[in-house]
Amino acid sequence: MSSHRILKTVGALLLKETIHKRILIAGLMLATIAIGAFAQKPVNDAGSLDSVTPAANLYRDDADAKKEIEAALKSAVPTKKRILLVFGANWCYDCHVLDQALRQGDAGKIISENFLLVNVDIGEGEKNLDLVKLYKIPLEKGVPALAVLERDGRLLYSSGQGEFEDARRMMKKDLIEFLRHWQTNN
């Protein structure tokens, strides 16, 4: 084999190796960019409710919703607050999103100043059905579903059209507007 041929073969192998290295580097760079993009929390420019990591026990198995509502009604008069019932379940991602939104920011401030919050667990659709019926919550429209009670226990509002069932797409300003509409006028 001539030296010219050897140099040509070695040159071809080096070129091939360089191309493979460049492809590998480009692939690694793209993978790094993709991982970084997916690892970041989405930017909430639209003002919709924030994404959450669901809590394991937002709706406690041992909770007695009737007793919690009774306790809230007893506290409502002296605190001059209304009661906000949130019907939902641990399996419901939108219930977790709404719960977080009701506990922080402007909505959280309105809640703490004007409402007593009670979570009512529906389980898989079989729990607290007497409360579902009493507060006119149509489960077929989805959860979370809300009911607003006056201090005397009178039902002021029930989300009968599934207004909150897609909480992850709900705008913060709309939630705040809803809460302001139903807040007490101390």
Side-chain angles (χ1 to χ4, degrees):
M1 193 180 223
S2 72
S3 61
H4 178 64
R5 244 180 166 192
I6 293 173
L7 286 176
K8 196 174 180 182
T9 304
V10 169
L13 289 173
L14 288 175
L15 180 62
K16 194 174 190 181
E17 185 178 323
T18 302
I19 291 171
H20 285 294
K21 282 182 183 177
R22 287 183 181 172
I23 290 171
L24 179 62
I25 290 170
L28 289 172
M29 288 174 61
L30 285 173
T32 302
I33 292 168
I35 289 169
F38 287 114
Q40 293 177 2
K41 191 173 185 178
V43 176
N44 195 349
D45 292 334
S48 57
L49 301 186
D50 296 329
S51 299
V52 299
T53 301
N57 211 11
L58 175 60
Y59 291 86
R60 296 183 344 267
D61 288 337
D62 63 344
D64 185 334
K66 287 179 194 159
K67 286 184 181 177
E68 289 183 12
I69 293 169
E70 285 174 22
L73 287 168
K74 286 179 184 173
S75 299
V77 173
T79 61
K80 298 180 180 177
K81 295 181 178 183
R82 289 184 169 157
I83 293 103
L84 181 65
L85 304 179
V86 182
F87 290 80
N90 286 325
W91 53 261
C92 168
Y93 178 73
D94 290 286
C95 296
H96 293 271
V97 170
L98 182 62
D99 183 73
Q100 177 178 282
L102 292 172
R103 296 179 189 277
Q104 58 190 13
D106 291 338
K109 185 175 186 217
I110 295 168
I111 289 288
S112 67
E113 293 173 357
N114 298 280
F115 295 93
L116 299 171
L117 192 60
V118 178
N119 285 342
V120 180
D121 186 12
I122 63 151
E124 296 293 327
E126 81 290 350
K127 287 177 80 175
N128 292 309
L129 293 179
D130 52 339
L131 296 174
V132 167
K133 184 177 180 181
L134 178 64
Y135 296 113
K136 299 177 170 71
I137 301 295
L139 292 182
E140 67 277 2
K141 299 284 186 177
V143 289
L146 304 181
V148 177
L149 307 181
E150 187 54 90
R151 289 170 245 202
D152 62 6
R154 189 171 27 101
L155 180 64
L156 299 174
Y157 169 83
S158 177
S159 58
Q161 297 302 315
E163 296 93 318
F164 295 90
E165 67 93 20
D166 199 13
R168 73 185 85 184
R169 290 183 179 80
M170 184 174 211
M171 303 300 286
K172 290 177 184 176
K173 67 179 182 58
D174 294 334
L175 178 60
I176 290 167
E177 183 181 318
F178 169 82
L179 295 172
R180 285 189 178 141
H181 177 80
W182 291 106
Q183 73 184 17
T184 56
N185 296 323
N186 296 329

